[in-house]
Amino acid sequence: MNAKLENKIAKAGLWLIGFFILALLAAFLGYILYQGLPVLSFHFIFGKSSDIMAGGGVGGQLFNSFYMLFLSMAVSIPVAIGAGIYLAEYARENKMTKAIRLSVESLATVPSIVLGLFGMIIFVNKMHLGFSILGGALTLVLLNLPMLVRVTEESIRTVPRSYEEASLALGATKLQTIFKVVLPSAMPGIITGITLTAGRALGETAILIFTAGTTVSRFLYDTDVMAGGETLAVHLWYLLSAGLVPDRDQIANGIGALLILTILVFNFLLVLPLKYFQRHSVGSR
């Protein structure tokens, strides 16, 4: 068998694998959307949920999902960017630095249910936050930080060293160089990490069951951080495991479709600044 034939066979095999994955993804998403899209309506998306009567909505759970995501990312992003800058720009390569990186990578592999139990012990019981939005958001921070720190560090390391050298040669300080040159150039990678982390947090269940609880405030769109923090994903789990409403299957199908659409739209909105930073970075070069 000659080299050209081997190359064609390998190429055909890779295309076949790619099409298979796309077909599997399309079938999965298509089935969920086919089952759930007919359920979606204005009342369903923005209305209050019901524990017993049919016809309830998921407005409170949808609000809690984004409210908790916002709170957790508001804490995670500044801490992760600071840690990434320190590891990439200031930390020396020694045993301490290696131990920090190993700890971050190990934390990223911890099952979410373990983080949920940790959050329940510390935030719910020890700090007396109860099953609340605040307790869930603080535990989500533990889930978000490892990936964000590693992505930030690696994105900063991909910036050519000549950029920093040129900035320092022009008289800029180290801090000015980081914020004016390094971070803007590394921003596409950082935004990608934020997108992946946010998508994972939106669909998280195990952590929030143990910390935010399975109840929602009786007030729609309640911003009280001590209120019940049931999210869309948790509500889906609760309906299918212990739900009493007669139309729980229809509501579950609607939540599945709404989660997919929400994550797709959310990712699209985060891709827009990514394209801007990519064009700005290319133009500045």
Side-chain angles (χ1 to χ4, degrees), residues 88-99:
E89 296 290 336
Y90 292 99
R92 297 179 179 179
E93 290 298 328
N94 50 36
K95 292 183 179 179
M96 177 65 72
T97 306
K98 292 179 180 178

Side-chain angles (χ1 to χ4, degrees), residues 123-146:
F123 301 123
V124 176
N125 296 330
K126 297 294 184 181
M127 296 180 64
H128 305 290
L129 296 179
F131 294 106
S132 61
I133 292 174
L134 182 59
L138 291 175
T139 312
L140 276 180
V141 171
L142 303 179
L143 180 74
N144 298 340
L145 277 177

Side-chain angles (χ1 to χ4, degrees), residues 30-96:
Y31 176 77
I32 294 178
L33 293 176
Y34 174 77
Q35 295 287 332
L37 284 179
V39 183
L40 299 184
S41 65
F42 183 87
H43 171 73
F44 178 81
I45 297 174
F46 299 104
K48 293 182 67 175
S49 60
S50 175
D51 293 331
I52 300 176
M53 302 296 293
V58 293
Q61 288 81 2
L62 179 63
F63 174 79
N64 282 349
S65 298
F66 279 98
Y67 188 35
M68 209 174 303
L69 176 66
F70 170 77
L71 293 176
S72 64
M73 298 302 282
V75 176
S76 302
I77 291 176
V79 174
I81 290 178
I85 291 173
Y86 169 76
L87 290 173
E89 296 290 336
Y90 292 99
R92 297 179 179 179
E93 290 298 328
N94 50 36
K95 292 183 179 179
M96 177 65 72

Side-chain angles (χ1 to χ4, degrees), residues 210-223:
F210 289 105
T211 56
T214 57
T215 60
V216 66
S217 174
R218 66 180 183 272
F219 302 108
L220 201 59
Y221 314 131
D222 191 354
T223 57

